[in-house]
Amino acid sequence: MAKTQLNVRVDETTAEAARRRARQRGVSVNRYIEELVQRDAGETGHTFVEAAADFMKRYESVFAEESGAPARRTPDKPA
């Protein structure tokens, strides 16, 4: 994958913490920050999907009623 340069400004305490953590993990600061962003993006996406699924489960009967479609029956939720 092609790399793009990204410049960020952080206070010295944050910069030193990033350097220290990268050194402890045996990776460059660039790689450390890249991994943090990827992990954060993945968690956010997963959290969103879980929340959307929960929303649909909670309000499925309302959507079915509005659209005239019967609600699906699930083992834990009779129609």
Side-chain angles (χ1 to χ4, degrees):
M1 178 185 297
K3 299 285 184 172
T4 299
Q5 185 170 338
L6 175 68
N7 296 313
V8 296
R9 292 182 187 273
V10 296
D11 60 63
E12 188 55 40
T13 302
T14 302
E16 186 49 44
R19 290 183 196 106
R20 184 175 53 254
R21 294 294 292 154
R23 194 170 39 251
Q24 289 170 344
R25 294 180 57 146
V27 297
S28 68
V29 173
N30 286 341
R31 182 68 187 152
Y32 174 66
I33 292 173
E34 183 177 25
E35 289 174 1
L36 287 177
V37 171
Q38 289 171 345
R39 189 174 331 137
D40 183 55
E43 290 172 6
T44 301
H46 182 72
T47 301
F48 172 79
V49 170
E50 284 181 339
D54 183 56
F55 177 83
M56 291 304 293
K57 186 175 179 181
R58 287 181 183 211
Y59 295 99
E60 179 181 18
S61 62
V62 174
F63 292 122
E65 191 175 304
E66 287 291 321
S67 68
R72 293 181 301 147
R73 291 187 175 170
T74 59
D76 62 321
K77 181 184 174 229

